[in-house]
Amino acid sequence: MDLSSNCKNSRVLGRYFGSLTFKCAALLVLALIFRAILLSSFSGYGKVDWNILEVIHGKTPLLEVNFGIRKDKFLEVPQIVWGLNNQKIAFARACLTARMLNRTLLMPSLSASLFYKEIDRLQPISFEKVFQFEKFNTLCRGFVQLGHYSDVSNRSAVLELQKGMGRKWTTDRDLDQLKEHTQEPLDGYEVIRVVGKNPFLWHDHWPVKDYAKVFECLVLVDEFAKEADRVVSKIRDLGKEMRSTSDSGENGDGSESSSLQPVPYVAVHMRIEIDWMIHCKKLEQRSHITEICSSKEQIMERVGNIVGLKSPTVVYLAVADSLLEDSTILSGWKEGLIPLEKKKLGVERIYKKYPYLIQAAIDYEVCLRADVFVGNSFSTFSNLIVLERTQKMITMGVTDSCDMDVRWPSYSYNIAGESDGPRKWMTNMSDSSLQAISYGSNVISCSSS
């Protein structure tokens, strides 16, 4: 080959190596190599991601690579117990623990019944009987992963991890224990089985945003979602009738255009059960905080003072079944507020078909979809609803509702707010742990950060 040919080839190669396509490809390869090196040195992984190396060598198309959790190593956790939202937090904590270990979480059992001490009387129910398994994995792909026990190749290759207990078992010690299990030889076991405490009681190492991501992936199975649809439709239909009657009385005839608009409703998580009042009084004494308990009268007054509520407005009361026979919860409300509970709404039979866990899940959906939600800042149920509503608002670009007429506002009736109404409430998505949500707080604001 002569000199002129060499020069010509050099110019061609120079143009190719200087092209935008080559630069992008080179940057991608460098990024993948850098990521592989990081994963190999990071204590939470312990090995090179060979899928990435296969992409670099051209063995695997880039779009087919799963940049997520390993599917050949698993974490198994104890049966998840207690109330619905404590179970949701426990499930999320188990997911995030598996994520740290770079393992797939074996689908855990939830608890359909509600017993705090009689563990042997708990009625187990499979996760996929309540929430959509495949939908969860699709929405959380690359973040956390659920697997079936049938995915395990060797049931005998199990390492038991005993969670520490007591005051000496600090958050740091718990974190060190998890880190140890990301390294050989412990990481070599196909299954790590956590024995001991319910995951709700595990130490927390993850920010609120990580929990919010897991909660976003939890979608009720169609059967229960449709039941929630029926309840919400009943509420809105009754609200439409009330508003139509009111408009007819004021204008002489109903307004056709207004009747076509979806009728908003307020959902109030009314914590006034005897066991709750005993618990919150003791909590006030221990913590020296007075804004935890709320009487029925205080709740009614503060909800009635929410600025901007149009009259008439239907108020759905999410209350314990023991209060359904108490007719006094439906009296004493401000004029223009129409209080309803399951019995008066005519949906009691929908709930009675199911065990406690499903009843609570349906009520959760009804409150979550409300145009206005009012709850107690020391209730896990209320806290998780506000977290999800805050996430919705952030998706819409709203991070502060203090002075704005926003969709999906939430309030805490146990804390005084504007015009003697309840305090506006958004979850602080910048919190480094779920502590405030798990156990409640009166330090709330209408800002998400």
Side-chain angles (χ1 to χ4, degrees):
M1 185 179 291
D2 59 20
L3 181 60
S4 61
S5 297
N6 285 334
C7 291
K8 183 177 180 180
N9 289 336
S10 296
R11 286 195 297 271
V12 171
L13 289 173
R15 284 196 299 271
Y16 174 73
F17 287 119
S19 69
L20 180 62
T21 301
F22 175 79
K23 289 178 179 178
C24 290
L27 285 173
L28 177 60
V29 170
L30 287 172
L32 292 173
I33 293 172
F34 182 66
R35 181 179 184 274
I37 294 170
L38 279 180
L39 292 182
S40 66
S41 59
F42 182 59
S43 61
Y45 291 83
K47 55 175 63 64
V48 173
D49 189 335
W50 295 107
N51 283 337
I52 295 175
L53 298 183
E54 288 177 2
V55 172
I56 294 171
H57 292 298
K59 296 179 181 179
T60 307
L62 179 61
L63 295 179
E64 293 181 8
V65 175
N66 179 9
F67 291 117
I69 302 298
R70 288 180 298 178
K71 295 183 179 180
D72 61 338
K73 295 294 175 74
F74 305 92
L75 180 73
E76 180 181 354
V77 300
Q79 179 181 347
I80 293 174
V81 298
W82 297 351
L84 168 70
N85 293 285
N86 286 347
Q87 290 191 50
K88 289 171 73 172
I89 290 174
F91 170 75
R93 196 156 287 167
C95 283
L96 295 173
T97 301
R99 170 180 165 80
M100 181 181 178
L101 299 175
N102 191 20
R103 288 174 175 265
T104 293
L105 177 67
L106 288 172
M107 186 176 63
S109 289
L110 305 178
S111 299
S113 52
L114 181 61
F115 289 95
Y116 289 92
K117 295 182 180 179
E118 301 96 331
I119 301 298
D120 58 321
R121 296 180 64 190
L122 286 171
Q123 180 187 347
I125 183 171
S126 172
F127 172 90
E128 61 186 349
K129 296 294 184 182
V130 183
F131 300 105
Q132 296 185 37
F133 179 91
E134 294 298 339
K135 188 76 170 180
F136 180 88
N137 276 344
T138 298
L139 294 175
C140 267
R141 179 174 290 122
F143 187 71
V144 295
Q145 185 82 23
L146 278 181
H148 289 287
Y149 278 82
S150 58
D151 298 332
V152 179
S153 62
N154 185 358
R155 299 288 181 92
S156 62
V158 175
L159 171 67
E160 290 196 346
L161 186 163
Q162 178 72 52
K163 276 280 184 177
M165 300 179 67
R167 293 181 179 179
K168 292 183 178 180
W169 190 258
T170 63
T171 300
D172 288 341
R173 290 188 67 181
D174 188 83
L175 187 60
D176 288 341
Q177 182 190 53
L178 292 178
K179 288 179 179 178
E180 287 175 6
H181 285 75
T182 65
Q183 301 169 358
E184 296 293 351
L186 302 182
D187 185 56
Y189 284 85
E190 184 179 9
V191 178
I192 292 178
R193 177 189 296 142
V194 183
V195 295
K197 298 184 294 184
N198 169 35
F200 180 78
L201 298 176
W202 294 357
H203 287 284
D204 190 6
H205 307 293
W206 301 280
V208 170
K209 289 181 180 179
D210 283 1
Y211 283 95
K213 173 62 179 172
V214 176
F215 295 142
E216 276 189 306
C217 303
L218 289 172
V219 179
L220 281 180
V221 296
D222 290 341
E223 178 187 356
F224 307 140
K226 288 176 181 177
E227 298 287 31
D229 291 340
R230 293 188 184 98
V231 177
V232 171
S233 294
K234 283 265 191 180
I235 296 171
R236 293 199 187 278
D237 287 346
L238 191 54
K240 187 180 293 185
E241 289 177 20
M242 298 285 185
R243 193 156 288 185
S244 177
T245 301
S246 175
D247 291 343
S248 296
E250 293 176 3
N251 305 324
D253 59 346
S255 172
E256 183 177 350
S257 60
S258 63
S259 66
L260 296 176
Q261 299 296 320
V263 178
Y265 69 95
V266 178
V268 180
H269 181 218
M270 208 166 184
R271 294 304 316 260
I272 55 174
E273 306 91 337
I274 293 175
D275 60 336
W276 165 260
M277 297 305 290
I278 293 172
H279 166 73
C280 72
K281 287 294 184 184
K282 290 181 178 178
L283 190 58
E284 284 186 339
Q285 292 172 0
R286 289 198 306 268
S287 58
H288 304 291
I289 297 174
T290 57
E291 294 179 310
I292 299 178
C293 303
S294 288
S295 66
K296 174 180 61 179
E297 292 73 22
Q298 184 187 65
I299 296 172
M300 292 176 177
E301 180 184 1
R302 287 186 173 169
V303 172
N305 289 333
I306 293 177
V307 177
L309 284 185
K310 183 180 178 181
S311 180
T313 295
V314 170
V315 180
Y316 175 71
L317 306 179
V319 297
D321 288 345
S322 61
L323 296 174
L324 294 179
E325 303 299 328
D326 182 4
S327 60
T328 63
I329 66 172
L330 298 177
S331 59
W333 292 83
K334 183 178 180 179
E335 185 178 357
L337 296 183
I338 316 298
L340 300 170
E341 33 73 72
K342 300 177 185 71
K343 192 172 183 180
K344 186 173 181 180
L345 192 59
V347 298
E348 194 177 16
R349 61 179 181 79
I350 291 178
Y351 287 84
K352 285 193 171 180
K353 292 190 296 184
Y354 302 110
Y356 156 77
L357 184 73
I358 307 306
Q359 293 182 27
I362 294 171
D363 239 14
Y364 184 93
E365 281 295 312
V366 175
C367 291
L368 184 64
R369 301 181 195 180
D371 300 270
V372 178
F373 173 72
V374 192
N376 187 299
S377 66
F378 280 84
S379 161
T380 309
F381 184 97
S382 294
N383 265 289
L384 289 194
I385 287 174
V386 174
L387 184 150
E388 288 204 50
R389 291 168 71 88
T390 298
Q391 191 79 338
K392 284 185 179 182
M393 294 172 73
I394 291 174
T395 301
M396 294 175 62
V398 177
T399 57
D400 190 325
S401 66
C402 299
D403 301 310
M404 298 173 62
D405 181 18
V406 297
R407 191 177 180 186
W408 299 309
S410 300
Y411 298 84
S412 176
Y413 57 66
N414 57 302
I415 307 173
E418 179 185 359
S419 304
D420 294 323
R423 176 78 60 84
K424 278 191 172 182
W425 184 11
M426 291 183 76
T427 299
N428 182 0
M429 303 300 283
S430 299
D431 268 352
S432 59
S433 79
L434 209 68
Q435 176 75 17
I437 292 173
S438 300
Y439 299 100
S441 172
N442 67 344
V443 182
I444 65 171
S445 72
C446 45
S447 174
S448 63
S449 59

